[in-house]
Amino acid sequence: NAGVTQTPKFRILKIGQSMTLQCTQDMNHNYMYWYRQDPGMGLKLIYYSVGAGITDKGEVPNGYNVSRSTTEDFPLRLELAAPSQTSVYFCASRTANQPQHFGDGTRLSIL
Amino acid sequence: GDSVTQMEGPVTLSEEAFLTINCTYTATGYPSLFWYVQYPGEGLQLLLKATKADDKGSNKGFEATYRKETTSFHLEKGSVQVSDSAVYFCALNMDSNYQLIWGAGTKLIIKP
């Protein structure tokens, strides 16, 4: 059972570079989420999606973009990386009235 | 708006001690309540949940009871082990809302 798969696990970017964090789930979940977790802190919601073609902003969307062309995939895009985006990024998914399932995270450093 | 408040950590205990991590919530309706655990270097895993008042969630020796009258969902374990060292997150979800509302997390350190 793959569950929620995130790639890459680690990445170092230079300021101003762009990259896409990949997230895919094989549980046919409608709802998907992107969070960031700064050191010693809780989770902050970046974007979420309630189904293919539908996305919405969370608490901290600035500097990020998402798309949801399929049920399975929910990539997160950083266009101009900034040091403030150094964090651990978690993708999660769920179906209605069920708990969220999390991926193992992507550790991103912007230098 | 809806919110979750957890006790600040870190909480440091000796092995076999009794654990309580407090969680209280504010919500306009009747949320589902969750405890998630994050072991070092890993993602979050669901530990237990409760969907209505007086429900008790339990897993791996941990328990939490949904107390509507005190709007609480405190996490307890009778005898902790070193392997329980992790960060514990309390969260709520309203059926009408797609998002989970998260507490800040409580770091638990168990010393042998």
Side-chain angles (χ1 to χ4, degrees):
Chain A
N1 294 330
V4 179
T5 302
Q6 291 184 237
T7 56
K9 293 190 185 302
F10 304 93
R11 184 73 184 267
I12 298 174
L13 285 182
K14 294 182 179 178
I15 295 172
Q17 286 186 320
S18 61
M19 78 163 293
T20 299
L21 282 65
Q22 301 291 344
C23 175
T24 187
Q25 52 91 10
D26 62 357
M27 297 172 282
N28 201 33
H29 287 172
N30 285 333
Y31 308 139
M32 296 188 74
Y33 306 81
W34 274 107
Y35 295 94
R36 60 177 287 173
Q37 184 180 31
D38 298 330
M41 305 293 285
L43 299 174
K44 293 186 178 179
L45 182 65
I46 305 171
Y47 271 95
Y48 68 99
S49 169
V50 301
I54 306 170
T55 62
D56 208 347
K57 296 177 180 179
E59 182 185 357
V60 290
N62 291 344
Y64 306 94
N65 279 299
V66 293
S67 59
R68 184 92 183 272
S69 56
T70 67
T71 298
E72 293 79 18
D73 300 308
F74 190 41
L76 177 71
R77 178 103 178 138
L78 283 71
E79 291 293 349
L80 291 171
S84 61
Q85 293 177 305
T86 293
S87 191
V88 181
Y89 291 84
F90 289 103
C91 179
S93 73
R94 73 179 181 103
T95 190
N97 301 320
Q98 293 299 317
Q100 292 186 4
H101 296 256
F102 282 80
D104 290 336
T106 295
R107 296 182 181 275
L108 181 63
S109 295
I110 315 295
L111 303 176
Chain B
D2 300 340
S3 66
V4 174
T5 303
Q6 287 182 237
M7 64 189 293
E8 285 194 27
V11 173
T12 303
L13 296 171
S14 296
E15 207 165 20
E16 299 183 2
F18 184 87
L19 168 71
T20 300
I21 299 179
N22 290 337
C23 172
T24 58
Y25 68 90
T26 58
T28 52
Y30 302 100
S32 296
L33 300 171
F34 306 89
W35 276 102
Y36 281 80
V37 59
Q38 184 179 30
Y39 298 104
E42 298 184 10
L44 279 74
Q45 306 172 25
L46 177 68
L47 181 59
L48 53 84
K49 68 175 183 177
T51 58
K52 62 182 186 297
D54 299 325
D55 268 2
K56 178 185 282 188
S58 61
N59 186 24
K60 300 181 181 180
F62 291 89
E63 294 183 340
T65 301
Y66 189 147
R67 302 283 188 201
K68 179 169 170 285
E69 63 277 11
T70 55
T71 61
S72 65
F73 193 53
H74 305 321
L75 183 68
E76 296 181 337
K77 187 174 184 182
S79 176
V80 292
Q81 306 300 314
V82 172
S83 57
D84 294 327
S85 297
V87 180
Y88 292 81
F89 292 92
C90 185
L92 72 82
N93 174 241
M94 301 297 295
D95 287 345
S96 59
N97 194 329
Y98 306 119
Q99 303 179 33
L100 260 67
I101 308 298
W102 294 89
T106 302
K107 185 173 184 177
L108 176 64
I109 300 169
I110 308 300
K111 296 187 174 181

